[in-house]
């Protein structure tokens, strides 16, 4: 029934319009409909796909203003995320892991306080969220917005330029790495999560580096940084 798909799509727009307004908090796991004091998954922001999915309709559905509260959160996370990048990785830029909350924490944490590496050690939250900044510019063409957002975009890339390492073949990879919603089975039948260079990481990194490169070109800034991005992409 095509009408069911349309109804579902319209419902998604309604949820975003209702739960993400300028000046307020971004849409979280339960949004404004959370009934409990202790909500499932703490009612926070899970950055390994949940938040991104909430905001996929923002630009394509002409709801750009609904994106603004997410950008406010990003400005805050970039501050705490710079401290986490330095303390945990000795890296420049900023990082966020799979979980953020009202206090803008960006360090590795597990679900429900458990330090499960399947979730806690995923350092790609800042990178994936920052691509939303360039998407907002790509749809609206607001150069003033891009100029304001550029430092957050750039610093997310700076962290990954420091985090990437060369493997035995001389390729830049993430290590440790994992895809937080997936596991694999090795040749001995053991289920594992941690690996070197998960495909998900490269999808995010290529998009982020490409966005940062285009943003720097539009703003005519950071020629040396652009060169670093091109070399890393190659």
């Amino acid at each position: 029934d095509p009408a069911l798909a349309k109804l579902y799509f319209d419902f998604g727009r309604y949820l975003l319009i209702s739960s993400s307004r300028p000046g307020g908090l971004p849409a979280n796991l339960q949004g404004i409909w959370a009934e409990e004091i202790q909500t499932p998954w703490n009612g926070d922001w899970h950055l390994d796909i949940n938040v991104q999915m909430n905001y996929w309709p923002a630009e394509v559905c002409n709801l750009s203003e609904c994106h603004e509260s997410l950008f406010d959160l990003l400005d805050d996370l970039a501050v705490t995320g710079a401290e986490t990048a330095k303390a945990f990785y000795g890296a420049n830029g900023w990082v966020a892991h799979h979980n953020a909350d009202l206090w803008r924490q960006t360090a590795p944490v597990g679900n429900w306080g458990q330090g499960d590496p399947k979730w806690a050690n995923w350092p790609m939250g800042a990178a994936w969220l920052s691509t939303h900044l360039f998407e907002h510019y790509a749809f609206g063409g607001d150069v003033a917005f891009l100029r304001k957002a550029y430092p957050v975009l750039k610093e997310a890339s700076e962290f990954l330029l420091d985090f990437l390492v060369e493997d035995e073949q001389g390729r830049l990879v993430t290590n440790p790495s994992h895809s937080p919603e997936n596991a694999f089975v090795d040749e001995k039948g053991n289920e594992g999560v941690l690996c070197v260079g998960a495909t998900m990481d490269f999808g995010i990194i290529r998009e982020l580096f490409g966005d940062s490169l285009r943003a720097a070109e539009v703003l005519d800034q950071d020629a040396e940084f652009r060169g670093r991005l091109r070399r890393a992409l190659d």
Side-chain angles (χ1 to χ4, degrees), residues 9-226:
F9 183 81
D10 288 342
F11 182 55
R13 291 196 304 174
Y14 162 77
L15 293 176
L16 184 60
I17 292 168
S18 301
S19 66
S20 185
R21 299 293 186 90
L25 294 172
N28 64 8
L29 287 180
Q30 284 79 37
I32 59 174
W33 300 276
E35 297 177 312
E36 305 88 349
I37 294 175
Q38 183 67 42
T39 61
W41 300 287
N42 298 322
D44 54 22
W45 294 287
H46 282 200
L47 312 183
D48 57 350
I49 194 169
N50 305 66
V51 173
Q52 291 85 351
M53 288 180 72
N54 283 344
Y55 285 92
W56 283 345
E59 303 299 331
V60 295
C61 293
N62 196 25
L63 301 174
S64 291
E65 62 272 30
C66 293
H67 235 155
E68 292 180 20
S69 57
L70 179 64
F71 301 151
D72 291 340
L73 177 67
L74 275 177
D75 287 340
D76 292 344
L77 289 177
V79 176
T80 51
E83 297 178 12
T84 300
K86 191 66 69 179
F88 280 76
Y89 300 96
N92 294 305
W94 75 283
V95 63
H97 294 77
H98 94 286
N99 189 303
D101 60 17
L102 278 173
W103 293 269
R104 283 31 177 178
Q105 71 87 18
T106 52
V109 297
N111 278 356
W112 311 288
Q114 300 169 7
D116 185 343
K118 183 174 183 180
W119 313 102
N121 294 340
W122 185 75
M124 303 296 295
W128 201 358
L129 284 177
S130 294
T131 64
H132 283 249
L133 295 166
F134 192 81
E135 182 176 17
H136 184 73
Y137 163 75
F139 273 79
D142 186 346
V143 176
F145 168 83
L146 185 64
R147 187 170 290 108
K148 177 177 180 293
Y150 176 67
V152 175
L153 197 64
K154 177 185 177 182
E155 293 301 316
S157 293
E158 289 275 12
F159 169 78
L160 285 166
L161 287 170
D162 284 351
F163 183 73
L164 288 163
V165 294
E166 285 192 6
D167 68 2
E168 293 87 346
Q169 287 78 43
R171 303 169 301 186
L172 286 180
V173 296
T174 49
N175 185 23
S177 178
H178 69 293
S179 179
E181 301 287 347
N182 284 294
F184 59 85
V185 177
D186 69 14
E187 63 275 6
K188 297 180 180 179
N190 300 311
E191 184 176 285
V193 176
L194 296 181
C195 64
V196 176
T199 300
M200 178 176 176
D201 286 358
F202 294 124
I204 293 170
I205 292 169
R206 284 184 181 278
E207 183 171 353
L208 175 70
F209 282 6
D211 289 350
S212 299
L213 186 57
R214 289 191 291 274
E217 289 170 345
V218 170
L219 299 173
D220 194 21
Q221 295 184 18
D222 296 325
E224 188 271 337
F225 173 63
R226 280 183 266 167

Side-chain angles (χ1 to χ4, degrees), residues 1-10:
D1 178 2
L4 179 60
K6 179 184 182 301
L7 180 65
Y8 198 61
F9 183 81
D10 288 342

